């Protein structure tokens, strides 16, 4: 097992129990991390790495696999796109000094037409103009990008053609040698080789290896490509869709998975259907045509049934074929409306009201100062939480009050604090890391005015609908037509009825549907989230099942319910060979039963049940009917796993090492320093520390990273209020190496302050070998680490670590780069009030920081700044 981008023992201790059980049975555990952690202490081997360089490390593993012919060739040839030929116009980063073909330096975005397969077209390409805002990544949905003419893809089963994906992969990673990994990551070669040898030796017909990650991978300016790089390794080694393999995305809360399935994200509808885009989706037909190509393979072809059923659940009897099932009543996005764009719009006076539900952005979001200044510029703010958190009190006791940037008597924001019920005071489901829905009962009644989210959302919607009931304004019509008729228990909506409607109902019979394959596009079914269809199969709340493990099969299918279709392992058709036989008896999971003419096994087969392994669909087949018997990746447009992405990502078809937005070193691979598509915001209130080739990076010479502690929970609102947790971790601290302590004159258990161009935070010094310096390209790089749980309220308080990080985001998904930045560390307490403001101004002047710093994303072209950054005249 390889754990990378995660301190699983600390941040996910319940799940880590199974790692320890596997280790007790002989599994070998590697932990790759910038810091020696509680996970490292329990792993067999700890491997150090410089924060922000994981793609270089994983690229080195890919190089090792390909150069030594260690890939699981039969799996790779049959189940991935390794044999597919790519357009002859495609040019790689190795050809273009860190860029792929199709780059437009003026907009810092790609036109990916040259990335496509030969003889196919990628539908719905975003044009370069506006592509930074209306990205194709926001439009693809859970089925992934669509492809035209998938039946005409040219292949070379020998994997020798120079334009086949396999050969492109070999060329792309040819320079990711152990020596290059050491230069970039600082990882000792012997430890890197130990990882490669163990990972490949344990990935065979008879053995599989698992890969685990968490936000240590996602929160980067190339976070989506980190995950793709890990997936490429696992695909080359045949570890996807097989028991004991896979890529595990650890979730940081009990239902973070659920909050993306039924999303709190601006660009998605339930079930990862993309939000309609203004100007691109004028009607339902255009929207569906954009989701899928003509006669592409797989179950995403049936997306029309998913979206129509969703519209029927939203609008009930008002959704009819004559009005496009109410498609026009859905909002259409016109660009980036994510968390960080919104907070900048708050600062700029473009947003008047804000709901903070189960979050604490004043502490838990990057650039906390900007979050607080944004909230201080609203007409109204609603905060629902268990305790009085910083996002409710920032206006009177936040750090900006001390500096004079917020004056309580002049703050214009009216704050409404509403007490929330805790998880033991309400019923419903959690959807956890492995996609399992588990029903929880209400243990106690909430006290006083505490209410559940379900109560709050339902009654807010009810009251708004009552206010607009007589309105003739077209914008109020969606609210008027909403089907807001859930069963009630007193004044509390029935969570069970909500789950039933999320599952879906056959409107011709009134009975719950049993699977997403029963949904229809003619308006005769409704379903609030198609991937959850089946959780209420046969009219039974499947999420509430609790059959003990000792009275059921090895996959414990009757404990909770896992989407989709209660299958525990996605793409498990790949656990059998192309002939439908398990790769080995030891690793069997599902297989083809010729006598019964169906797929069977220990898990629910993730494949059409009656399609034999040797099936070849007739010409002209579409959707599920177009799947060959050896197409295990049933949601992909071509039925195969993608080692190379011909469509759907905006920063390149292959993961490539770029330096983080803030880095102390030059990229040793390319002239192109950082991701050429990362979204930056060149604003006076969002300065960036300089990085090579910019001057004065020595002002912030150290690498900064942050993470969690077991004793506190994220922004601390649930843990800093509790005496026993506050006692266990009473004070913010910073971990530094003995070498760095000597360089900066720091004393163990003394006081220091960590500074960036945005903020300074004070912390107790912990001098420890856990943060060993690394040798990177002939220089020593020091890394420092802080936990981020403290704020100015609670039984224990401290500075906000997230104030240190600026806002720069991944171009695919707009997630922030908050796991790596540059900083300085100084002994003693930080300045206070006006002295703090003066110190930061002095630092920015010494570093030559302007609003253009960090916005030169196309360093290979020497472009001075991107189109949406201020011009030199504006910045002066």
């Amino acid at each position: 097992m390889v754990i990378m981008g995660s301190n699983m023992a600390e941040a996910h201790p319940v799940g880590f129990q199974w790692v320890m059980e596997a280790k007790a049975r002989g599994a070998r555990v590697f932990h790759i991390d910038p810091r020696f952690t509680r996970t490292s202490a329990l792993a067999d081997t700890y491997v150090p790495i410089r924060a922000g360089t994981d793609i270089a490390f994983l690229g080195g593993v890919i190089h090792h696999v390909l150069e030594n012919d260690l890939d699981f060739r039969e799996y790779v040839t049959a189940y991935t796109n390794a044999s597919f030929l790519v357009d002859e116009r495609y040019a790689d980063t190795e050809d273009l000094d860190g860029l792929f073909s199709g780059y437009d330096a003026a907009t810092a975005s790609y036109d990916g037409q040259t990335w496509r397969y030969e003889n196919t077209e990628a539908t719905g390409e975003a044009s370069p103009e506006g592509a930074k805002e209306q990205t194709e990544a926001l439009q693809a949905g859970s089925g992934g990008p669509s492809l035209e003419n998938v039946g005409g893809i040219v292949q070379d089963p020998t994997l020798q053609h120079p334009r086949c994906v396999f050969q492109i992969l070999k060329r792309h990673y040819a320079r990711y040698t152990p020596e290059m990994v050491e230069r970039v990551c600082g990882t000792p070669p012997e430890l890197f080789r130990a990882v490669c040898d163990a990972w490949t030796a344990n990935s065979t017909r008879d053995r599989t290896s698992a890969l685990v990650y968490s936000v240590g991978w996602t929160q980067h300016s190339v976070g989506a490509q980190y995950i793709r790089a890990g997936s490429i390794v696992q695909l080359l080694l045949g570890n996807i869709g097989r028991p004991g393999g896979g890529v595990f995305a650890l979730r940081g809360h009990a239902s973070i998975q659920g909050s993306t399935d039924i999303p709190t994200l601006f660009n998605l509808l339930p079930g990862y259907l993309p939000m309609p885009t203004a100007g691109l989706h004028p009607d339902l037909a255009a929207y569906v045509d954009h989701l899928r190509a003509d006669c592409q393979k797989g179950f995403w072809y049936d997306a029309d049934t998913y979206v129509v059923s969703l519209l029927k659940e939203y609008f009930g009897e008002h959704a009819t074929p004559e009005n496009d099932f109410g498609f026009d009543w859905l909002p259409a996005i016109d660009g980036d409306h994510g968390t960080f764009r919104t907070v900048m719009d708050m600062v700029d006076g473009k947003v008047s009201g804000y709901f903070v539900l189960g979050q604490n952005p004043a502490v838990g979001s990057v650039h906390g100062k900007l979050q607080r200044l944004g909230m201080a510029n609203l007409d109204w703010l609603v905060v629902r939480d268990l305790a009085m958190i910083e996002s409710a009190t920032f206006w009177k006791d936040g750090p900006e009050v001390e500096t004079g940037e917020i004056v309580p008597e002049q703050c214009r924001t009216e704050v409404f604090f509403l007490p929330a019920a805790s998880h033991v005071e309400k019923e419903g489901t959690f959807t956890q890391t492995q996609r399992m829905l588990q029903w929880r009962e209400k243990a106690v009644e909430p006290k006083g005015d505490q209410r559940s989210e379900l109560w709050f959302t339902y009654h807010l919607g009810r009251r708004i609908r009552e206010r607009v009931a007589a309105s003739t304004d077209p914008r109020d019509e969606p609210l008027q037509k909403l089907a807001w008729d859930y069963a009630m228990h007193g004044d509390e909506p029935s969570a069970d009825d909500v789950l039933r409607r999320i599952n879906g109902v056959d409107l011709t019979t009134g009975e719950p549907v049993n699977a997403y394959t029963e949904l229809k596009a003619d308006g005769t079914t409704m379903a609030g989230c198609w991937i959850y269809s089946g959780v209420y199969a046969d009219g039974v709340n499947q999420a509430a099942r609790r059959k003990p493990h000792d009275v059921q099969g090895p996959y414990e299918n009757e404990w909770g319910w896992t989407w989709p279709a209660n299958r525990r392992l996605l793409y498990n058709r790949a656990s059998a060979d192309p002939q439908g036989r398990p790769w080995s008896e030891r690793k069997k999971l599902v297989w083809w039963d010729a006598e019964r003419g169906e797929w069977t096994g220990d898990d629910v087969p993730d494949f059409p049940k009656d399609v034999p392994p040797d099936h070849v669909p007739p010409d002209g087949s579409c959707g599920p009917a177009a799947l060959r018997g050896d197409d295990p990746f049933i949601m992909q447009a071509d039925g195969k796993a993608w080692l190379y992405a011909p469509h759907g990502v905006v920063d390149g078809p292959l993961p490539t090492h770029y330096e983080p937005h803030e880095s102390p070193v030059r990229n040793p691979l390319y002239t192109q320093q950082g991701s050429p598509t990362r979204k930056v915001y060149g604003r006076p209130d969002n300065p960036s520390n300089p990085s090579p080739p910019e001057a004065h990076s020595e002002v912030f010479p150290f690498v900064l990273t942050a993470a969690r502690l077991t004793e506190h929970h994220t922004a601390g609102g649930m843990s800093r209020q509790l005496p026993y947790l506050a006692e266990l971790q009473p004070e913010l601290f910073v971990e530094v190496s003995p070498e760095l302590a000597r360089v900066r004159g720091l004393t163990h258990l003394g006081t220091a302050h960590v500074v960036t161009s945005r903020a300074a935070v004070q912390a107790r010094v912990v001098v420890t070998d856990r943060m060993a310096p690394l040798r990177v390209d002939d220089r020593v790089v020091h890394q420092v680490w802080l936990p981020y749980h403290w704020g100015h309220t609670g039984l224990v308080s401290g500075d906000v670590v997230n104030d240190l990080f600026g806002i720069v985001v991944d171009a695919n998904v707009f997630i922030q780069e908050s796991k790596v930045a540059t900083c300085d560390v100084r002994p003693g307490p930080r300045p206070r009030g006006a002295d703090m403001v003066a110190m930061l101004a002095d630092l920015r002047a010494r570093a030559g920081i302007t609003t253009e710093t960090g916005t030169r994303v196309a360093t290979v072209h020497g472009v001075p700044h991107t189109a949406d950054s201020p011009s030199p005249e504006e910045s002066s």
Side-chain angles (χ1 to χ4, degrees):
M1 176 174 289
V2 177
I3 302 174
M4 193 174 184
S6 168
N7 180 4
M8 189 179 182
E10 184 105 38
H12 306 89
V14 176
F16 194 71
Q17 156 192 326
W18 304 107
V19 178
M20 290 293 91
E21 293 207 16
K23 186 180 176 187
R25 289 172 167 83
R28 190 174 178 189
V29 179
F30 288 83
H31 187 223
I32 306 166
D33 199 87
R35 171 175 171 261
F36 188 92
T37 69
R38 288 172 169 169
T39 303
S40 312
L42 292 167
D44 294 283
T45 305
Y46 165 66
V47 182
I49 188 173
R50 177 166 62 98
T53 64
D54 299 56
I55 288 177
F57 189 104
L58 293 165
V61 177
I62 295 169
H63 170 86
H64 177 84
V65 171
L66 296 176
E67 287 301 306
N68 295 286
D69 293 324
L70 295 171
D71 58 288
F72 191 163
R73 185 60 56 89
E74 189 175 358
Y75 179 105
V76 168
T77 304
Y79 294 160
T80 77
N81 64 354
S83 65
F84 294 6
L85 269 57
V86 172
D87 192 293
E88 61 184 4
R89 297 171 297 169
Y90 168 73
D92 194 80
T93 52
E94 299 303 296
D95 308 312
L96 301 176
D97 197 14
L99 297 178
F100 294 97
S101 50
Y103 188 72
D104 182 346
T107 60
S109 62
Y110 282 106
D111 178 347
Q113 289 289 340
T114 60
W115 306 349
R116 67 184 186 175
Y117 298 141
E118 184 175 308
N119 259 13
T120 66
E121 293 183 8
T123 63
E125 286 287 355
S127 63
E129 182 179 357
K132 295 285 281 187
E133 294 291 327
Q134 299 189 29
T135 66
E136 189 66 19
L138 300 183
Q139 302 163 11
S142 63
S146 56
L147 292 172
E148 296 282 2
N149 193 30
V150 294
I153 297 173
V154 182
Q155 302 181 48
D156 174 20
T158 70
L159 308 186
Q160 298 305 307
H161 193 288
R163 284 192 287 110
C164 78
V165 164
F166 191 79
Q167 294 298 327
I168 289 174
L169 206 64
K170 290 185 74 170
R171 292 194 297 274
H172 182 78
Y173 291 108
R175 288 197 295 141
Y176 289 69
T177 61
E179 295 73 24
M180 182 61 76
V181 171
E182 183 180 22
R183 282 185 64 190
V184 176
C185 306
T187 303
E190 65 276 10
L191 287 176
F192 172 72
R193 288 192 176 93
V195 173
C196 293
D197 291 343
W199 205 341
T200 54
N202 198 63
S203 302
T204 63
R205 279 178 168 267
D206 204 45
R207 305 190 67 85
T208 51
S209 299
L211 176 60
V212 177
Y213 77 91
S214 189
V215 294
W217 268 12
T218 55
Q219 292 178 354
H220 290 272
S221 55
V222 285
Q225 295 286 12
Y226 273 44
I227 300 157
R228 288 208 63 243
S231 299
I232 290 170
V233 175
Q234 289 294 72
L235 286 168
L236 287 172
L237 297 178
N239 285 323
I240 301 292
R242 300 180 62 203
V247 180
F248 293 83
L250 299 180
R251 302 300 204 163
H253 302 263
S255 199
I256 287 294
Q257 181 69 55
S259 72
T260 50
D261 297 343
I262 300 180
T264 53
L265 302 172
F266 78 94
N267 62 305
L268 289 177
L269 294 167
Y272 304 92
L273 291 160
M275 191 70 78
T277 298
L280 187 65
H281 303 136
D283 52 34
L284 179 61
Y287 173 79
V288 172
D289 285 347
H290 189 84
L291 292 185
R292 64 185 190 188
D294 290 341
C295 287
Q296 73 176 45
K297 295 183 180 184
F299 285 87
W300 192 241
Y301 185 80
D302 293 338
D304 57 340
T305 71
Y306 315 147
V307 67
V308 171
S309 295
L310 175 65
L311 291 168
K312 287 295 293 184
E313 203 285 324
Y314 279 171
F315 303 114
E317 63 183 9
H318 300 294
T320 66
E322 291 72 28
N323 64 12
D324 245 1
F325 298 104
F327 178 80
D328 284 348
W329 294 330
L330 291 177
I333 59 174
D334 58 359
D336 177 4
H337 296 282
T339 297
F340 303 110
R341 178 70 268 168
T342 299
V343 76
M344 287 183 279
D345 287 343
M346 287 157 57
V347 171
D348 296 341
K350 299 177 183 178
V351 176
S352 57
Y354 200 49
F355 287 91
V356 175
L357 312 178
Q359 296 288 327
N360 191 5
V363 173
S365 289
V366 294
H367 207 333
K369 177 180 177 178
L370 202 64
Q371 302 283 340
R372 295 186 294 270
L373 291 177
M375 290 189 291
N377 199 36
L378 298 166
D379 292 337
W380 54 266
L381 170 68
V382 175
V383 179
R384 293 189 75 253
D385 215 291
L386 307 178
M388 193 66 69
I389 58 174
E390 287 83 358
S391 294
T393 66
F394 68 91
W395 59 274
K396 64 176 182 176
D397 55 13
E400 291 70 38
V401 175
E402 184 180 68
T403 61
E405 294 164 284
I406 294 178
V407 179
E409 295 79 8
Q410 298 174 8
C411 182
R412 63 193 295 265
T413 308
E414 184 175 12
V415 181
F416 300 88
F417 180 82
L418 303 177
S422 76
H423 66 282
V424 300
E425 297 170 325
K426 55 195 175 188
E427 65 176 6
T429 57
F430 284 132
T431 308
Q432 38 88 313
T433 292
Q434 70 175 95
R435 313 179 322 281
M436 181 185 289
L437 283 77
Q438 292 179 281
W439 185 264
R440 66 177 188 276
E441 309 290 346
K442 182 193 291 185
V444 295
E445 290 295 327
K447 296 180 180 179
D449 290 332
Q450 294 168 212
R451 294 292 185 271
S452 69
E453 286 78 17
L454 188 55
W455 182 96
F456 175 78
T457 305
Y458 173 81
H459 286 290
L460 179 64
R462 176 183 61 80
R463 292 187 179 194
I464 293 174
R465 280 163 47 80
E466 290 171 358
R467 291 284 296 271
V468 303
S471 172
T472 58
D473 190 328
R475 77 172 189 172
D476 294 329
E477 189 176 7
L479 289 166
Q480 295 167 339
K481 303 301 187 190
L482 204 60
W484 212 240
D485 53 351
Y486 301 100
M488 304 290 292
H489 298 314
D491 69 343
E492 179 84 13
S494 166
D496 188 76
D497 186 52
V498 172
L499 183 64
R500 178 178 176 273
R501 293 176 60 152
I502 288 172
N503 171 90
V505 175
D506 183 334
L507 297 175
T508 65
T509 65
E511 296 298 317
V513 299
N514 293 320
Y516 68 84
T517 52
E518 296 179 11
L519 299 178
K520 301 287 192 293
D522 60 4
T524 59
T525 59
M526 71 171 190
C529 183
W530 68 276
I531 59 175
Y532 282 13
S533 293
V535 70
Y536 221 98
D538 301 319
V540 175
N541 184 343
Q542 306 285 327
R545 294 178 302 174
R546 294 290 184 272
K547 181 179 284 191
H549 69 90
D550 56 353
V551 295
Q552 57 172 315
Y555 273 68
E556 300 172 5
N557 300 89
E558 295 185 56
W559 181 277
W561 185 90
T562 303
W563 69 261
N566 201 33
R567 63 177 54 98
R568 305 302 164 108
L569 189 61
L570 290 174
Y571 301 122
N572 58 34
R573 162 67 181 91
S575 70
D577 68 16
Q579 291 73 43
R581 304 165 304 201
W583 291 106
S584 74
E585 183 64 21
R586 183 174 183 270
K587 285 292 178 179
K588 70 177 183 178
L589 180 61
V590 301
W591 55 89
W592 176 252
D593 187 326
E595 290 186 7
R596 296 166 59 184
E598 63 181 29
W599 290 92
T600 188
D602 294 327
D603 194 11
V604 177
D606 195 4
F607 201 69
K609 191 172 184 178
D610 58 353
V611 173
D614 59 356
H615 174 69
V616 177
D619 290 343
S621 300
C622 303
L627 291 168
R628 291 172 49 97
D630 60 356
D631 283 338
F633 292 86
I634 63 172
M635 295 304 295
Q636 293 291 96
D638 53 17
K640 306 299 184 185
W642 285 6
L643 297 167
Y644 168 99
H647 184 35
V649 286
V650 302
D651 52 356
L654 289 170
T656 301
H657 170 69
Y658 296 116
E659 285 295 312
H661 177 67
E662 294 182 357
S663 169
V665 301
R666 197 73 171 88
N667 187 347
L669 278 159
Y670 314 109
T671 301
Q672 180 58 42
Q673 172 75 357
S675 168
T677 63
R678 68 190 188 274
K679 276 177 66 72
V680 296
Y681 303 91
R683 299 166 53 101
D685 53 13
N686 184 46
S688 293
N689 298 347
S691 297
E694 296 172 318
H696 308 304
S697 61
E698 72 281 354
V699 176
F700 302 102
F702 309 130
V703 174
L704 166 68
T705 188
R708 293 170 55 178
L709 296 167
T710 301
E711 294 82 1
H712 284 299
H713 186 64
T714 59
M718 294 176 68
S719 57
R720 283 186 275 113
Q721 318 285 341
L722 302 177
Y724 48 92
L725 292 178
E727 183 179 8
L728 286 170
Q729 291 287 3
E731 191 172 358
L732 175 63
F733 59 95
V734 55
E735 292 193 359
V736 301
S737 68
E739 294 85 351
L740 179 55
R742 286 192 290 270
V743 169
R744 281 295 186 258
L746 308 176
T747 303
H748 183 58
L749 298 184
T751 300
H753 52 287
V754 180
V755 294
T756 68
S757 58
R758 297 160 291 272
V761 304
Q762 182 173 310
R764 186 68 64 91
V765 176
V766 174
V767 179
T768 172
D769 290 332
R770 290 192 294 247
M771 292 303 296
L774 299 173
R775 180 159 293 279
V776 175
D777 209 10
D778 295 326
R779 63 173 286 184
V780 174
V781 172
H782 294 282
Q783 303 189 102
V784 301
W785 177 89
L786 299 100
Y788 68 92
H789 307 290
W790 280 267
H792 52 263
T793 69
L795 299 176
V796 291
S797 61
D799 285 344
V800 177
V801 169
N802 274 321
D803 288 5
L804 295 170
F805 295 93
I807 297 175
V808 59
V809 300
D810 177 297
N812 289 289
V813 295
F814 298 166
I815 198 170
Q816 75 281 0
E817 185 160 75
S818 54
K819 289 301 177 186
V820 61
T822 56
C823 71
D824 194 7
V825 186
R826 299 179 170 190
R830 68 170 173 83
R832 317 293 300 192
D835 291 339
M836 168 86 150
V837 175
M839 181 194 71
L840 294 176
D842 177 66
L843 275 172
R844 289 194 286 267
R846 284 177 49 205
I849 292 172
T850 70
T851 52
E852 289 183 23
T853 303
T855 64
R856 298 170 173 85
V857 295
T859 50
V860 70
H861 286 325
V863 175
H865 53 81
T866 59
D868 57 355
S869 297
S871 67
E873 294 77 18
E874 291 172 323
S875 62
S876 64

